[in-house]
Amino acid sequence: MNAGQQPADEIRSGLLAALAAYGLWGLLPIFFKLLHHVGPFELVAQRVIWSLVLILILLAARRALGPLWAALSTPRLLLPLTASSLFIAINWTTYIWAVNDDHVIAASLGYFLNPLVNVALGVLVLKERLRRGQTLAIGVAAIGVAIMAAAALTTLWISIMLALSFAFYGLVRKLTPVAPMAGLGAETLILTPVALAYLGWLSGHGGLAFGQDNFTTVMLVVSGAMTTVPLVLFAVAAHRLPMATLGLLQFVAPLLQFLCGVLLFGETLSHGQMVSFALIWLGLILFASDSMAAARRNRPATA
């Protein structure tokens, strides 16, 4: 076998998996707009239930249910997984509400900010040190956020809530030694009693959308796949791609969300928002450039 061929194949398949994952995440506004008549809390509850069903099927097919049960039965893992469950539930609910209340641009901003918030958490919590380029990137983006606060104060909370909830979710998961699929399975199992209780309450009060018509029912079931499939693809990409490459590709999702908001749903940007986005994107370009330069410097020399 050609020694150089396998890595090239792995990188190619990793790129395809990453683009598919971020593409699906980027097009989620279109999916959730089709379910605008379903309340955000029911959508999250249905997403939890059907994600759990699919995850259990996938884990059972791979004979990998053991790590899931181990995580749930280990107190030192159960506590952080409960915290990450709370963060992801807040993230999902905020995102769905924002999309269906015509704030897709504000939602996309949250995910543009996410990598910069991750860096800030790394400094504050993990005591990581910033390179000069990272400090400059965060400073430029922070000016953009300050302008956004003045120009769009009513929707800024959406962006901040999404950025913080997903960043803290990522931090907790980084510090919790559980495989991605087993971790997501544990999180959905932890959320399932609350989801079932809420759906039961809705059903008793005649407000349950599930079962009202075939389209809504099928789409709610599909919401489980729309949650799980991108995460599986992301796990494949993370295993096969350098972190610098994966870090650059993550901007595909919020960029697609932004384009959906402007081109498909007719959301408009004020002058202040335009300046804010320009500065935040400049900060992201500086951040990405610094990451690529650092990856090149740290790459081992080849003979």
Side-chain angles (χ1 to χ4, degrees), residues 131 134 244 287-299:
R131 297 185 297 271
Q134 291 175 315
F287 178 80
S289 300
D290 177 80
S291 298
M292 291 181 68
R296 284 194 296 268
R297 288 195 300 269
N298 295 330
R299 186 178 301 156

Side-chain angles (χ1 to χ4, degrees), residues 29 32-34 36 94-108 154-155 158 257 260-262 264-269 273:
F32 287 125
K33 280 286 188 181
L34 296 173
H36 67 277
T94 304
Y95 182 78
I96 291 170
W97 180 87
V99 168
N100 286 344
D101 208 53
D102 299 325
H103 298 304
V104 176
I105 291 175
S108 73
T154 57
T155 58
I158 297 172
Q257 292 170 12
C260 284
V262 173
L264 294 182
F265 307 133
E267 295 185 25
T268 57
L269 286 169
Q273 285 175 308

Side-chain angles (χ1 to χ4, degrees), residues 5 42 65 74 142 158 203-204 230 239 269 284 291:
Q5 184 63 35
E42 181 179 354
L65 286 169
T74 305
I158 297 172
S203 179
H239 180 69
L269 286 169
L284 292 174
S291 298

Side-chain angles (χ1 to χ4, degrees), residues 23-36:
L24 286 171
W25 279 326
L27 296 177
L28 271 181
I30 299 173
F31 179 83
F32 287 125
K33 280 286 188 181
L34 296 173
L35 290 168
H36 67 277

Side-chain angles (χ1 to χ4, degrees), residues 241-281:
L241 292 177
M243 286 304 295
T245 303
L246 199 63
L248 292 177
L249 288 173
Q250 72 178 318
F251 299 120
V252 169
L255 177 59
L256 287 175
Q257 292 170 12
F258 176 83
L259 292 175
C260 284
V262 173
L263 301 179
L264 294 182
F265 307 133
E267 295 185 25
T268 57
L269 286 169
S270 67
H271 292 299
Q273 285 175 308
M274 290 180 186
V275 173
S276 174
F277 265 87
L279 287 170
I280 291 168
W281 284 343

Side-chain angles (χ1 to χ4, degrees), residues 2-303:
N2 186 341
Q5 184 63 35
Q6 184 61 32
D9 288 343
E10 287 190 0
I11 290 174
R12 188 178 301 110
S13 61
L15 282 171
L16 290 174
L19 288 172
Y22 288 125
L24 286 171
W25 279 326
L27 296 177
L28 271 181
I30 299 173
F31 179 83
F32 287 125
K33 280 286 188 181
L34 296 173
L35 290 168
H36 67 277
H37 56 290
V38 181
F41 291 107
E42 181 179 354
L43 261 174
V44 172
Q46 297 283 358
R47 196 175 180 184
V48 166
I49 299 301
W50 297 110
S51 295
L52 176 61
V53 171
L54 182 56
I55 290 166
L56 290 177
I57 291 172
L58 291 173
L59 290 176
R62 295 166 53 191
R63 301 181 184 274
L65 286 169
L68 170 60
W69 309 134
L72 290 170
S73 60
T74 305
R76 68 180 181 85
L77 297 178
L78 184 58
L79 184 60
L81 285 171
T82 301
S84 63
S85 301
L86 177 62
F87 286 129
I88 201 63
I90 292 171
N91 184 269
W92 287 353
T93 305
T94 304
Y95 182 78
I96 291 170
W97 180 87
V99 168
N100 286 344
D101 208 53
D102 299 325
H103 298 304
V104 176
I105 291 175
S108 73
L109 174 62
Y111 292 109
F112 276 120
L113 291 175
N114 182 249
L116 302 178
V117 176
N118 285 339
V119 173
L121 286 178
V123 172
L124 297 173
V125 179
L126 303 179
K127 306 304 180 185
E128 297 174 352
R129 299 188 65 178
L130 286 179
R131 297 185 297 271
R132 184 177 301 175
Q134 291 175 315
T135 303
L136 177 61
I138 290 176
V140 171
I143 295 172
V145 173
I147 294 173
M148 177 68 77
L153 190 59
T154 57
T155 58
L156 180 65
W157 71 270
I158 297 172
S159 307
I160 292 176
M161 182 75 78
L162 288 172
L164 289 178
S165 61
F166 201 69
F168 276 105
Y169 172 76
L171 177 65
V172 173
R173 286 302 303 272
K174 179 180 177 66
L175 298 175
T176 307
V178 180
M181 284 290 289
L184 183 61
E187 289 161 353
T188 51
L189 267 172
I190 290 167
L191 293 172
T192 291
V194 178
L196 287 174
Y198 180 71
L199 293 176
W201 180 85
L202 271 184
S203 179
H205 289 75
L208 190 67
F210 184 85
Q212 288 187 355
D213 60 78
N214 291 335
F215 175 79
T216 299
T217 300
V218 169
M219 291 291 282
L220 288 173
V221 173
V222 171
S223 70
M226 293 298 291
T227 300
T228 305
V229 170
L231 287 170
V232 174
L233 291 167
F234 175 79
V236 172
H239 180 69
R240 298 182 181 183
L241 292 177
M243 286 304 295
T245 303
L246 199 63
L248 292 177
L249 288 173
Q250 72 178 318
F251 299 120
V252 169
L255 177 59
L256 287 175
Q257 292 170 12
F258 176 83
L259 292 175
C260 284
V262 173
L263 301 179
L264 294 182
F265 307 133
E267 295 185 25
T268 57
L269 286 169
S270 67
H271 292 299
Q273 285 175 308
M274 290 180 186
V275 173
S276 174
F277 265 87
L279 287 170
I280 291 168
W281 284 343
L282 176 58
L284 292 174
I285 291 169
L286 292 171
F287 178 80
S289 300
D290 177 80
S291 298
M292 291 181 68
R296 284 194 296 268
R297 288 195 300 269
N298 295 330
R299 186 178 301 156
T302 56

